Amino acid sequence: MSEKEARTHVRIDDRILLRFRRLTPEEFQEKMLRYRTGEESPWIDPLRPPGEARKLDYHLKKLREKNRDLAEVLEILALRMDRLLLDMKAEEIRREFREISANLSGAGLRVPLGERPQVGDLYELDIGLLPEYYFFRAYGEVVRLEDSEVAFRFVWITEDDQDRLVQHVFRKQILQIQISRRAVEK
Amino acid sequence: MDLGTVVGLVLGMVLLTGSILVGGQIGIFINIPSLLITVGGTIAATFIRFSLADVLGSVNVAMKAFFYKLKPPEEVIQEIVTLANIARREGLLKLEKQPIEDPFLKKAIMFCVDGHEADFIEEVLSKELQLTSQRHETGINLFKSMGDAAPAFGMIGTLIGLVQMLTSMEDPKSIGPAMAVALLTTLYGAVLANLVFLPIADKLSLRSEEEQLNKKLIIEGVLGIQKGLNPRVLEEVLQTFLPPKKRKAAEAGE
């Protein structure tokens, strides 16, 4: 990121699952129209129907206020069930997605794409956040090419997915801070 | 400085003095032995009920009712939302350099910066909130008990006066003035309880509630910041802590 660009979201280095496809501007517009009219859904998560994660968070939060232990246990059970479902879908996910290193933020990402696009090109980016295996679709515009990496700025992402992505970044940030702190203590 | 407390106290004194002056001389309402029985007895009972440290610290506690000005919750919410925006843009570590006046908020933010888990942050801050509330409760109870003791000692003073009066009934002319003096302690007790001790206890109780609300906002807000909640969503969540009227005012302020 250049000094002149105003940063809107904190960035972290992470491992993600990625599936991508280059689009023409016309294809992108067509996609947007289909989403707006409801002919197509941007939802790609193989485990959770749209909005389910947020709904689960909401109810768990309410339950935590009344019975913290029960809420914690149910959350653990939900995660375990997710893992079982993931094992069933593992082959499909491995076939379609690549696990790669990425520099990630709520506003975009930088990844070794394996191809050399032009600045301004549009891509359909299907991203899986690890280890929770939360999948979402976003559309990114190539803003920079850095050595073997391509930097994307999201031009379209649902607010739910962006919030989820930011929360994932924060979670990773805390883990990185904990690791740094432990290293300093040693 | 809390003007309400000062205005109330001064107004009460002025009205009482004014009404006394309209009815006659103020001198007849001043009696040192009666004052000693009421004030001294109240202080003595308080020493018995509470620890020495609590009683000696009661002056500082009372000062809270006069001089302690708490930050309005709307401002606390705005500060938290500002911090949430900074964290979202620059990362949690950037919060370390932010100038934060409130020590409780500063402590909560430092927990985030140190990378502590949400459960730990919530547990520690909630414990601190609980202990603060208990400390406040002691101060409130101290003034409430003074409010109970003052009229009781006023009555004791009146009884002492009546006993003294009834033992020397030779001169019927002296009965009236002696009775008046005897009743003064009841007046002192009632005034001290209803104009000083009980209102201060209620004001401290209000202060405590306000402080607890701010601390609850900080706990909820910092947990939201640590989680990476959208600042707009976080603001909406925090607004639910405010009464509807204040909520509207805060939205209008934006």
Side-chain angles (χ1 to χ4, degrees):
Chain A
M1 176 174 286
S2 73
E3 292 300 313
K4 287 175 187 173
E5 280 180 65
R7 177 182 281 182
T8 55
H9 291 81
V10 63
R11 313 182 73 87
I12 54 154
D13 289 320
D14 197 12
R15 300 280 296 171
I16 60 165
L17 295 171
L18 183 70
R19 180 175 67 186
F20 61 87
R21 186 166 74 92
R22 196 187 305 209
L23 296 173
T24 64
E26 293 74 26
E27 281 175 317
F28 173 66
Q29 290 306 330
E30 175 68 19
K31 277 273 181 191
M32 293 299 106
L33 183 66
R34 290 172 71 85
Y35 289 159
R36 274 200 300 274
T37 55
E39 287 175 72
E40 196 178 330
S41 163
W43 170 64
I44 58 154
D45 196 307
L47 306 177
R48 309 164 190 94
E52 192 192 77
R54 177 183 264 209
K55 198 183 279 188
L56 184 67
D57 283 350
Y58 170 77
H59 289 296
L60 278 173
K61 188 176 187 301
K62 288 196 79 165
L63 182 61
R64 201 170 276 118
E65 288 164 9
K66 291 177 185 158
N67 190 334
R68 195 190 180 98
D69 294 337
L70 180 63
E72 294 287 336
V73 169
L74 288 174
E75 192 167 15
I76 290 164
L77 286 174
L79 287 168
R80 287 195 180 175
M81 286 172 82
D82 281 354
R83 282 200 199 109
L84 286 170
L85 288 166
L86 271 165
D87 285 343
M88 290 162 68
K89 298 256 182 191
E91 194 54 46
E92 183 188 326
I93 290 166
R94 264 200 292 271
R95 200 173 49 244
E96 293 185 9
F97 286 84
R98 268 198 305 147
E99 187 179 328
I100 52 168
S101 294
N103 182 266
L104 197 60
S105 89
L109 75 162
R110 196 177 68 237
V111 283
L113 206 61
E115 60 181 62
R116 197 80 181 153
Q118 300 287 314
V119 170
D121 280 358
L122 290 167
Y123 275 78
E124 184 176 77
L125 304 164
D126 292 343
I127 298 166
L129 301 176
L130 302 171
E132 60 265 46
Y133 286 89
Y134 179 84
F135 290 87
F136 66 92
R137 173 167 289 173
Y139 291 85
E141 182 190 352
V142 176
V143 287
R144 262 186 338 277
L145 302 169
E146 298 176 11
D147 304 328
S148 60
E149 293 192 323
V150 180
F152 290 100
R153 175 177 60 85
F154 293 136
V155 290
W156 188 91
I157 180 171
T158 69
E159 194 177 11
D160 261 12
D161 290 335
Q162 190 171 39
D163 285 347
R164 177 67 56 163
L165 174 57
V166 171
Q167 285 174 32
H168 169 84
V169 168
F170 269 66
R171 181 83 209 112
K172 289 281 164 137
Q173 227 190 136
I174 288 161
L175 291 172
Q176 287 170 4
I177 290 169
Q178 286 172 352
I179 291 163
S180 309
R181 198 182 55 189
R182 184 152 292 195
V184 168
E185 283 169 2
K186 279 185 178 176
Chain B
M1 173 168 241
D2 184 74
L3 274 176
T5 312
V6 178
V7 167
L9 202 58
V10 170
L11 192 67
M13 291 291 187
V14 167
L15 286 172
L16 277 175
T17 312
S19 60
I20 286 169
L21 286 170
V22 167
Q25 292 178 331
I26 199 159
I28 58 168
F29 283 89
I30 297 167
N31 183 272
I32 300 300
S34 303
L35 206 59
L36 284 175
I37 288 172
T38 314
V39 175
T42 303
I43 291 169
T46 310
F47 269 118
I48 295 164
R49 282 179 175 173
F50 293 87
S51 72
L52 187 65
D54 286 339
V55 179
L56 294 176
S58 66
V59 176
N60 286 336
V61 173
M63 285 302 117
K64 255 195 165 183
F66 289 96
F67 297 107
Y68 193 64
K69 199 83 178 86
L70 208 64
K71 193 181 242 187
E74 305 90 303
E75 283 182 29
V76 174
I77 291 172
Q78 280 316 305
E79 187 171 12
I80 289 167
V81 170
T82 304
L83 291 170
N85 276 309
I86 292 166
R88 200 173 165 100
R89 212 173 41 238
E90 309 281 344
L92 285 169
L93 291 176
K94 275 285 172 204
L95 298 179
E96 195 174 8
K97 299 277 185 283
Q98 296 308 309
I100 300 166
E101 278 179 32
D102 188 316
F104 190 75
L105 179 57
K106 181 80 182 170
K107 185 180 189 172
I109 290 295
M110 287 316 292
F111 280 147
C112 282
V113 170
D114 289 343
H116 287 291
E117 291 291 343
D119 287 353
F120 170 84
I121 296 172
E122 188 173 12
E123 197 177 326
V124 172
L125 296 179
S126 298
K127 193 79 184 159
E128 188 164 329
L129 171 64
Q130 192 187 335
L131 292 170
T132 305
S133 166
Q134 280 173 8
R135 277 198 304 276
H136 288 179
E137 205 61 44
T138 304
I140 293 161
N141 288 339
L142 191 134
F143 279 93
K144 273 187 178 162
S145 87
M146 286 172 102
D148 291 340
F153 275 94
M155 184 51 70
I156 290 166
T158 299
L159 293 173
I160 291 168
L162 285 175
V163 169
Q164 286 172 340
M165 184 189 81
L166 292 170
T167 52
S168 53
M169 295 274 282
E170 296 88 4
D171 181 14
K173 282 183 184 173
S174 67
I175 292 173
M179 185 78 185
V181 169
L183 286 172
L184 271 181
T185 51
T186 302
L187 175 69
Y188 289 157
V191 169
L192 281 172
N194 294 294
L195 190 61
V196 182
F197 299 139
L198 293 178
I200 285 179
D202 288 344
K203 181 55 71 82
L204 288 173
S205 183
L206 184 72
R207 284 273 167 278
S208 177
E209 278 172 26
E210 287 170 345
E211 199 170 327
Q212 279 182 57
L213 172 66
N214 280 7
K215 280 189 160 72
K216 280 176 188 166
L217 282 171
I218 288 168
I219 293 170
E220 190 74 23
V222 166
L223 290 174
I225 290 173
Q226 197 248 16
K227 197 180 173 189
L229 268 191
N230 184 329
R232 187 176 47 75
V233 173
L234 180 60
E235 184 171 18
E236 279 171 19
V237 169
L238 296 178
Q239 292 278 4
T240 59
F241 282 74
L242 301 181
K245 200 188 279 185
K246 280 196 171 181
R247 229 176 286 172
K248 282 179 189 134
E251 282 162 12
E254 283 170 30

